[in-house]
């Protein structure tokens, strides 16, 4: 009730929620109350949550912030959402994002940009901008996001909250609308690492309906929250500190180094020599996968269909021309190009090789350190309307995309403020399956 009231008051200015259904929310809350009263409720019963519009959910419009899916009410529910519904968590609504999760500012949404609660002239970041804005503005205690190249960590940094991209494969992708399947991973966004750990406990698990889901024993991701940092080795990649980082971000990273050292952690310099290759590799691979994943939006079975057409080809063409936004079209064009005969070896195959080199860099670095400390983004949140050059925007993903290419867990936590009062986060990247300790390290300095 309190959250719905706050949403009614503040959401018009923030545009974080793009779909609300008070009746459904209240029905879920009553069901949770009944379970609590009957004494058979899970610990998260009754806790409200906001879902990024990328997660399919029965009976809710699941549009991925695209005109193409504006009329799509999902007939099924994503596994990760179902896991949380089974806990008794209550859906507050569906939150804004860049169309099909392509972007870093939330300005690519069919429903208009969401705004940063700290300063509404600024973007909340993206693509999970609505999730970050909702949590930061206390319009939800927690939210789900998805991260293909930084879309959980970068908006978390811009909005002053905590967000985790888990190891690839530990959270089911079934029912999460696909952007780049080998990189996409759902994760928790919350005020604290502790809340992220509690949420991840309910989210993670094997799912036979996701072919890349990992079959592993259940873990308790809260187990290291109180583990001291003494002796922890934190790697500082020298390539990350060479150039491109704003003074605000530099100052914040330095402050975080101080906090870690004060608790007995040890700083070591490491090297990730292929850092410069990660952006070209990512944009080739992500666009290639996007071009195939998005071929399903043809206006035939569901989604937008052009009103007038002379034949089948024209129906496909017009439906896609009308239904998809310009950034999505750009990715489809790039992806189709790099996968086409004659260019496949030169671009797609080459990018796959670079991906391996980027991943190998991390394995070498993790011989010398437990976690890598890095910025989450080169600057604090930019002004709305300031990111008109797509290549410039792609370059701002430099600190986040390598973890996706390597399938590594990484989180972003609030660590300071810019000179004009905007939150700035830092990032911790760990080796595969190190979530518990990663969340613990964040918790210790929070
Ligand atoms: N900015 C990146 C992109 O546009 C990352 C997006 C994401 O993680 N979903 O691809």
């Amino acid at each position: 009730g309190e959250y719905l009231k706050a949403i009614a008051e503040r959401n018009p200015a923030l545009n974080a929620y793009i779909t609300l259904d008070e009746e459904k929310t209240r029905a879920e809350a009553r069901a949770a109350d009944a379970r609590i009263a009957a004494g058979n409720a899970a610990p998260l019963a009754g806790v409200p949550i906001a879902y990024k519009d990328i997660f399919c959910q029965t009976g809710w419009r699941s549009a991925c912030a695209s005109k193409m899916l504006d009329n799509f009410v999902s007939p099924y529910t994503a596994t990760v959402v179902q896991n949380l519904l089974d806990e008794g968590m209550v859906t507050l609504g569906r939150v804004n994002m860049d169309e099909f999760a392509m972007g870093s500012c939330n300005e690519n949404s069919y429903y208009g940009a969401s705004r940063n609660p700290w300063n509404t002239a600024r973007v909340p970041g993206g693509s999970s901008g609505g999730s970050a804005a909702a949590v930061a503005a206390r319009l939800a205690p927690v939210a789900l996001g998805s991260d293909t190249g930084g879309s959980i960590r970068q908006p978390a940094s811009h909005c002053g909250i905590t967000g985790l991209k888990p190891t690839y494969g530990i959270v089911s992708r079934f029912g999460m609308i696909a952007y780049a399947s080998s990189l996409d991973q759902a994760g928790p966004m919350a005020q604290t690492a502790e809340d992220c750990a509690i949420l991840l406990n309910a989210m993670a698990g094997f799912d036979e309906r996701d072919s890349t889901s990992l079959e592993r024993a259940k873990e308790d991701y809260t187990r290291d929250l109180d583990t001291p940092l003494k002796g922890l080795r934190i790697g500082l990649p020298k390539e990350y500190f060479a150039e491109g980082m704003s003074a605000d971000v530099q100052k914040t990273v330095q402050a975080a180094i101080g906090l870690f050292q004060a608790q007995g952690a040890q700083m070591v310099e490491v090297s990730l020599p292929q850092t410069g290759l990660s952006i070209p590799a990512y944009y080739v691979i992500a666009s290639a996968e996007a071009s195939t994943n998005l071929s399903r939006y043809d206006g035939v079975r569901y989604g937008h269909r052009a009103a007038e057409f002379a034949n089948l080809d024209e129906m496909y063409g017009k439906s896609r021309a009308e239904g998809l936004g310009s950034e999505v079209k750009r990715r489809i064009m790039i992806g189709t190009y790099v996968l086409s005969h004659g260019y496949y070896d030169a671009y797609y195959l080459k990018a796959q090789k670079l991906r391996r080199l980027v991943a190998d860099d991390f394995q070498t670095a993790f011989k010398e350190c437990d976690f890598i400390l890095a910025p989450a983004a080169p600057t604090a949140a930019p002004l709305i309307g300031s990111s008109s050059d797509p290549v410039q925007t792609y370059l701002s993903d430099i600190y986040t995309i390598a973890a996706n290419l390597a399938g590594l867990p990484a989180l972003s936590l609030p660590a300071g403020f810019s000179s004009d009062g905007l939150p700035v986060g830092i990032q911790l990247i760990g080796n595969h399956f190190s979530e518990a300790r990663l969340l613990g390290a964040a918790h210790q300095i929070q």
Side-chain angles (χ1 to χ4, degrees), residues 52 100-104 108 126-128 146-153 179 184 282-283 286 327 331 393-394 397 400-401 404:
K52 184 177 183 179
F100 286 109
M102 298 171 190
S104 311
N108 299 338
S127 64
S128 312
S146 72
D147 192 313
T148 304
S151 280
I152 287 177
R153 291 159 285 156
Y179 161 14
D184 297 343
Y282 170 86
Y283 276 96
E327 183 59 30
R331 308 287 179 102
T393 307
Y394 297 171
D397 294 335
T400 47
I401 56 185
N404 300 76

Side-chain angles (χ1 to χ4, degrees), residues 1 4-5 21-31 90-91:
L4 289 177
K5 216 166 78 194
D21 186 331
E22 207 174 310
E23 231 166 86
K24 277 207 194 71
T25 299
R26 290 192 188 280
E28 283 185 26
R30 278 194 301 273
V90 176
T91 311

Side-chain angles (χ1 to χ4, degrees), residues 33-276:
D33 283 346
R35 275 170 67 177
I36 294 167
N40 62 0
L44 289 173
V47 176
I49 183 166
Y51 292 113
K52 184 177 183 179
D53 205 31
I54 199 168
F55 297 97
C56 286
Q57 198 173 357
T58 304
W60 290 83
R61 181 182 68 184
S62 305
C64 227
S66 179
K67 179 178 178 186
M68 182 54 88
L69 292 175
D70 182 53
N71 63 3
F72 177 65
V73 175
S74 181
Y76 71 111
T77 297
T79 300
V80 60
V81 173
Q82 192 59 52
N83 289 347
L84 300 177
L85 288 172
D86 291 346
E87 287 276 315
M89 292 192 83
V90 176
T91 311
L92 284 169
R94 320 246 329 148
V95 280
N96 212 343
M97 56 183 284
D98 286 297
E99 182 180 6
F100 286 109
M102 298 171 190
S104 311
C105 54
N106 211 156
E107 291 175 283
N108 299 338
S109 167
Y110 174 58
Y111 305 104
S114 175
R115 286 167 183 271
N116 192 313
W118 293 83
N119 178 342
T120 51
R122 303 269 167 177
V123 303
S127 64
S128 312
S131 309
V135 172
R138 294 347 193 227
L139 301 186
V142 289
L144 281 201
S146 72
D147 192 313
T148 304
S151 280
I152 287 177
R153 291 159 285 156
Q154 184 256 33
S157 171
H158 286 350
C159 289
I161 66 162
T162 307
L164 169 77
K165 179 202 93 71
T167 303
Y168 183 81
I170 71 164
V171 176
S172 169
R173 287 183 300 108
F174 178 80
M176 182 169 86
I177 296 172
Y179 161 14
S181 311
S182 77
L183 302 158
D184 297 343
Q185 188 65 192
M189 300 173 78
Q191 296 290 346
T192 64
E194 183 175 18
D195 286 352
C196 286
I198 293 168
L199 207 57
L200 186 62
N201 274 351
M203 291 169 67
F206 174 67
D207 180 8
E208 61 183 15
R209 288 175 300 181
D210 170 359
S211 62
T212 57
S213 175
L214 295 172
E215 221 168 336
R216 305 181 75 243
K218 265 268 178 213
E219 268 189 61
D220 176 9
Y221 295 103
T222 66
R223 68 175 185 268
D224 278 326
L225 289 176
D226 294 324
T227 305
L229 297 184
K230 198 166 162 34
L232 191 74
R233 295 165 308 159
I234 296 198
L236 304 171
K238 63 171 190 248
E239 293 77 7
Y240 285 12
F241 295 91
E243 55 186 309
M245 202 188 298
S246 70
D248 288 329
V249 173
Q250 221 159 342
K251 197 183 69 190
T252 308
V253 173
Q254 283 308 328
I257 290 174
L259 286 176
F260 279 119
Q261 283 173 332
Q263 297 203 37
Q266 197 188 321
M267 300 294 141
V268 290
E269 187 184 272
V270 295
S271 175
L272 300 171
Q274 313 298 340
T275 295

